[in-house]
Amino acid sequence: MNQKPILIIETYDQLKAISDPLRTKMLIFLVEQPHTGHMLANELNLSRAKILYHLRELEKHGIIKLVKKEERGGNILKYYQAVARGFIPADHLLSYVESKEATRQSFLEVINRAKTRVLTAPEQSFELNSSNVEEWLNMSIQREFSLSKERFLEFTRQYRDLLDSLLDEDSHDKNKELYYIMTTAFQVEEPLFNKNNK
């Protein structure tokens, strides 16, 4: 199945469907690759009946799609996948509290997924072969900046362009390795870092 990059959520019912915290957790897996209810139940340590209920709700609202059926041992396995890699509420839904909560929950799940990727990465991912950080094959940075909204929006546009440029890399290069990049950015009220320690 070809996933859309983004699906615009047009109805309040769709918004409610994706704002549920458990469904957000499920969607993180279903964005990445197709899963059965049984696979999701194992991943999330929940009953299959509970997972199947939420799968039906997500499918009913056009958030996920049945992409494959497979017979195994007399059972029919149904594989579902998210119809898009990201979901954004339409402008007329932005004032609903579910929009904010769905976004917050999505951030939390992306961070949790990143934690899993760190814990399951191979040992060589964290080897340091130099005291010069610019030569490291990994990166972990957190920073806080005081910026205007306009400057922040310009930075996020440039950053997205930079990430998109990585997709254009030569696919025939035999020296390529797979890297995981996760980014979050949002406004905060109190500084975490003392400016005098920079």
Side-chain angles (χ1 to χ4, degrees):
M1 177 184 94
N2 284 337
Q3 286 178 306
K4 298 177 182 178
I6 295 292
L7 176 71
I8 303 298
I9 298 297
E10 295 289 350
T11 70
Y12 179 70
D13 287 338
Q14 284 180 311
L15 180 60
K16 276 183 67 175
I18 66 165
S19 64
D20 179 273
L22 174 56
R23 292 179 194 157
T24 305
K25 285 181 194 299
M26 292 168 60
L27 274 174
I28 291 293
F29 291 99
L30 296 172
V31 162
E32 293 173 357
Q33 62 187 6
H35 282 72
T36 65
H38 181 74
M39 292 164 72
L40 286 170
N42 287 341
E43 290 280 4
L44 299 170
N45 199 24
L46 292 168
S47 74
R48 224 172 72 184
K50 185 169 190 166
I51 293 293
L52 290 175
Y53 167 77
H54 289 288
L55 283 173
R56 282 193 294 273
E57 287 297 302
L58 289 169
E59 185 180 27
K60 177 172 84 176
H61 294 292
I63 307 298
I64 65 171
K65 193 176 194 176
L66 178 65
V67 293
K68 180 172 79 169
K69 286 184 181 181
E70 189 178 283
E71 187 176 343
R72 194 180 303 161
N75 294 321
I76 302 293
L77 302 178
K78 295 180 178 180
Y79 288 82
Y80 294 90
Q81 188 165 25
V83 298
R85 291 188 298 276
F87 300 88
I88 298 175
D91 288 347
H92 66 276
L93 296 173
L94 294 178
S95 62
Y96 288 99
V97 70
E98 287 89 350
S99 290
K100 294 180 194 84
E101 287 311 308
T103 303
R104 183 188 306 266
Q105 194 62 38
S106 175
F107 273 56
L108 289 170
E109 291 310 321
V110 166
I111 291 167
N112 282 336
R113 193 66 179 139
K115 180 180 174 183
T116 300
R117 297 294 275 174
V118 169
L119 293 172
T120 59
E123 292 299 316
Q124 67 262 27
S125 298
F126 306 103
E127 290 175 358
L128 304 179
N129 54 9
S130 168
S131 59
N132 180 358
V133 296
E134 292 182 5
E135 295 177 11
W136 292 3
L137 291 174
N138 56 43
M139 179 174 64
S140 179
I141 297 173
Q142 51 177 327
R143 301 252 174 95
E144 292 177 352
F145 299 95
S146 292
L147 304 168
S148 68
K149 288 181 181 178
E150 294 77 18
R151 181 66 185 105
F152 178 77
L153 289 172
E154 175 62 16
F155 164 77
T156 59
R157 187 196 59 73
Q158 291 173 346
Y159 187 74
R160 285 186 180 99
D161 288 346
L162 180 61
L163 290 176
D164 287 345
S165 75
L166 296 177
L167 296 173
D168 298 333
E169 292 292 312
D170 181 13
S171 61
H172 301 296
D173 183 353
K174 297 198 185 318
N175 294 320
K176 289 190 348 182
E177 302 283 348
L178 184 62
Y179 291 90
Y180 176 80
I181 298 173
M182 188 279 296
T183 307
T184 57
F186 46 89
Q187 183 180 350
V188 292
E189 291 184 354
E190 295 291 326
L192 182 63
F193 301 101
N194 184 334
K195 290 181 181 178
N196 298 326
N197 292 337
K198 285 189 177 178

